[in-house]
Amino acid sequence: MTKWVYSFGGGSAEGEAGMKNLLGGKGANLAEMSNLGLPVPPGFTITTEVCTHFYKNDETYPEGLKAEMAAALAAVEAIAGARFGDAANPLLVSVRSGARASMPGMMDTVLNLGLNPQTTEGLAKLTGNPRFAYDSYRRFIQMYSSVVLGMDHGIFEEILETEKESKGVDLDTDLEAGDLQRIADLYKADVRKSLGKPFPDDVHEQLWGAVSAVFGSWMSPRAKTYRRLHNFPEDWGTAVNVQAMVFGNRGDTSATGVAFTRDPSTGERVLFGEFLINAQGEDVVAGIRTPQPIAKIVRERQGGKKPSMEEAMPKAYAELKAIGDKLEAHYRDMQDVEFTVQDGTLYMLQTRTGKRTAEAALRIAVEMEREGLIGKEMAVGRVDPAALDQLLHPTLDPSAPKDVIASGLAASPGAAMGEVAFTADDAEKLAADGRAVILVRAETSPEDIHGMHAAKGILTARGGMTSHAAVVARGMGRPCVCGAGMLKIDAVGGTMTVGSTVIKRGDIITIDGTSGQVFKGKVPMRQPELTGDFGTLMGWADTVRKLKVRANADTPMDAKHARDFGAEGIGLCRTEHMFFDAQRIIAVRQMILADEKKDREAALAKLLPMQRSDFEAIFKVMEGLPVTVRLLDPPLHEFLPNTDEEIAEVAREAGGDPAKLRQRAIALHEANPMLGHRGCRLGITYPEIYEMQARALLEAALNVVEQGGAAVQLEIMIPLVGFKSELDTLKARIDAVADSIRSERGTVPEYLIGTMIELPRAALRAGEIAQTAQFFSFGTNDLTQTTLGVSRDDAGTFLNEYLSKGLIARDPFVSIDREGVGELVTIAAERGRKTRANLKLGICGEHGGDPDSIDFCHGAGLDYVSCSPFRVPIARLAAARAALTNRQDSD
């Protein structure tokens, strides 16, 4: 028979900390604290299974719940020495939510439940404190009416403020018992007027109403949004905790507060938090009164005048400090606790693992290892890899005022501020003048690369998480907000409009690529600081992980950043980005628009020394680490001249006819270029392009060694292969170039030839392709597009709808689609290694920097992941956590 209710209190409990899935985090930890003998008011937890039943059965409760609740309530009465609904000695309870993972502020709470005119009068006589009794009653009416009856909270605030004005007082604590009784009566009158029925006096009706409201809040819009943002499944449900009330508003010997066992911002080992004397819990967070610090040292640092809890209530503070130390030792993690002091006696109302900044997480993990609380592997598991973004990029000052004007996708983390520029050329010019710039575009293209490089941040109205802007921004370490669809951008007129706000060229905006928000004007920032704790933890992570971590790097600067962050090679060097330099684009266009091979070769001859120089610089930085270079991949249309002026410029350089060049550009136009004449198809139809690149690579590798550098581990990657015959043809061309260089220079560097698996056919025919390929690199950006039939640049227009409706759990361009794309990766890995046992396997799409996708790659048996340089630390830590998680699963 299913058990629906679990009791706790009086030094024991029916549950324990390991039952979070059933009892929720709050219920499991209340049970655990009770079992530890800590001062926990008695209560009971209604399980998450009741919530699941509630929603599966037209919001009805399972048979037997009523009887179990009655028995549990009787047990609470026995421990508390009071009776629920008794006029002379009333038991009051709180009703709170408690999902298995913390969702602060997302669901509902009701305090002081069990009060009505009779029990309030009885409470006043019992305590000899009518003011406390009527303060509790008016609070209960206000909270219950808002949470359970659905009334506007502001109505009651207006009544309260009116009464305070009439009495000439500023604080609630200055009101007397008679004032509070009159306010309670006014509250109830407003309820009857608004709802056409009286406020409920039956305490059992109150209890069931509050329980239903808490279960109902699981499906509130804010809770749904929070779950979607944190990837919490809807079917988890919430538990409900009913607990005997203790009161922090019984006078100057009572208080309530929240404390962290370490500073959640810095990680310092100090009892950090706030409390209020003569108050209830909601007062601490409501902002009506200014809370006071817990510890004296914190008060002194803040320059506060009111005493800390350590000074005002030294006995209760010492107990709280001792309990905090005990909880830290028990849970072996920093704790976030809620407490109440009633008439000088301390009670614990909650403990949970405390949320913290990345800086604090690092410090706490490292210091707890040094203190002997946890081991190195547990320390590695304590830091969320994604949170490291906070340490690697500037962030907005959380206390600064902000004027949010738009929001989009958080495409590349960090914050940036600068003057708005609407073209890449304009951005470059402004940056050259020493001005900070935000490049604002409807969407970016490869031709914007110079402006993106010059800008401090990038904002686009269109595009998704793997759009051109997002991918390039992450690679450069530039903050980026994409897909801010509410923006109307007029690049010609030099304006950006959102609602009634018009931003002009040169106006200042701030973007936050971590939250996806856009702000008008300047917002103060905090610069990242990497402490010694960072290096310590990353060193521990590197000893645990199995996956190697490389970087996607296209320039020597990218390569240096990658090395600085601990990359073990380059997993993707995109050669096309080298072609968009102003000095080179004309030669590229000459090559593309040439009708005859000799003209193409003339243009390529101009590019050869430039490419060779690029590769030499990258190889020198990498100092013998593996470098995977992808030969030219993008559709030719991305390089084509768009204006008459650009066509005329190409014609002048090539000595050709502009009209003829225009016709050639029109002829090369494609209806669907991403599935058109690109990748290896370019190498098949224009083999001299890949031959030039192969020569540049091999000669560069030789030159580096001749100049005293380390031998290059060169991996030449041929993109978009779908047929083994394509790879065979192009490998033969590259080998012929190598033979030619051997004849010319007497030697040729060692090199591997492999392919990018980015088409479903290639994944399915991997066994055959591996007969020729010496390595596979999974290009999961395009593999996701071609598997799902979804354009990554257009996905933002509908994927959010899919996410909000629960049709998909994660954006497949952010975190790999394990069941679809992931299965193709697994198939390709298995079939490829069946043919070639030592086949090197890696991933170089944007998923290479996503912790969840890295966990998949570990499980799939890949050798390495490759990501943008600024995500290398994240990947290193995620790879370590994947190794630890999979080891635990196998145990």
Side-chain angles (χ1 to χ4, degrees), residues 764-816:
L764 295 173
R765 302 301 298 167
E768 181 183 32
I769 292 172
Q771 294 171 15
T772 301
Q774 295 167 290
F775 67 87
F776 287 167
S777 181
F778 292 96
T780 50
N781 294 350
D782 276 351
L783 187 58
T784 299
Q785 291 194 107
T786 55
T787 300
L788 300 184
V790 172
S791 162
R792 69 184 187 187
D793 291 329
D794 300 317
T797 60
F798 61 86
L799 271 189
N800 284 339
E801 195 78 9
Y802 274 55
L803 290 165
S804 64
K805 291 181 176 177
L807 301 180
I808 56 175
R810 300 286 300 275
D811 183 334
F813 291 105
V814 174
S815 192
I816 196 165

Side-chain angles (χ1 to χ4, degrees), residues 297-473:
I297 189 173
V298 176
R299 177 192 66 76
E300 290 173 343
R301 288 174 185 171
Q302 294 174 349
K305 302 300 181 187
K306 290 185 177 181
S308 65
M309 182 180 177
E310 184 177 2
E311 296 162 298
M313 295 181 162
K315 178 175 176 293
Y317 170 84
E319 288 181 52
L320 181 63
K321 180 73 170 64
I323 287 173
D325 290 342
K326 185 173 184 177
L327 288 171
E328 259 205 5
H330 180 73
Y331 285 100
R332 297 199 292 169
D333 204 354
M334 183 260 275
Q335 295 296 292
D336 168 5
V337 302
E338 294 178 15
F339 65 89
T340 287
V341 179
Q342 178 178 291
D343 295 331
T345 301
L346 176 70
Y347 294 92
M348 302 305 295
L349 305 182
Q350 171 161 293
T351 189
R352 59 188 174 194
T353 299
K355 294 187 181 297
R356 64 206 78 178
T357 64
E359 177 188 348
L362 273 174
R363 180 173 177 178
I364 290 169
V366 172
E367 290 189 357
M368 282 191 166
E369 190 275 338
R370 289 172 181 156
E371 292 163 14
L373 275 179
I374 60 176
K376 291 181 174 62
E377 291 187 357
M378 184 173 283
V380 168
R382 284 286 169 81
V383 180
D384 179 6
L388 290 183
D389 270 341
Q390 294 180 29
L391 299 180
L392 304 175
H393 302 275
T395 55
L396 297 181
D397 182 345
S399 63
K402 305 174 184 71
D403 182 4
V404 180
I405 58 172
S407 62
L409 299 173
S412 182
M417 174 180 63
E419 298 179 37
V420 169
F422 291 102
T423 69
D425 290 343
D426 199 16
E428 190 173 48
K429 289 172 186 171
L430 288 169
D433 291 337
R435 291 145 79 177
V437 182
I438 303 295
L439 177 62
V440 178
R441 303 282 284 157
E443 58 189 342
T444 63
S445 73
E447 287 191 27
D448 293 321
I449 195 80
H450 59 294
M452 297 172 77
H453 188 268
K456 297 292 186 184
I458 298 143
L459 170 63
T460 71
R462 294 195 291 269
M465 293 294 287
T466 53
S467 63
H468 176 267
V471 171
V472 173

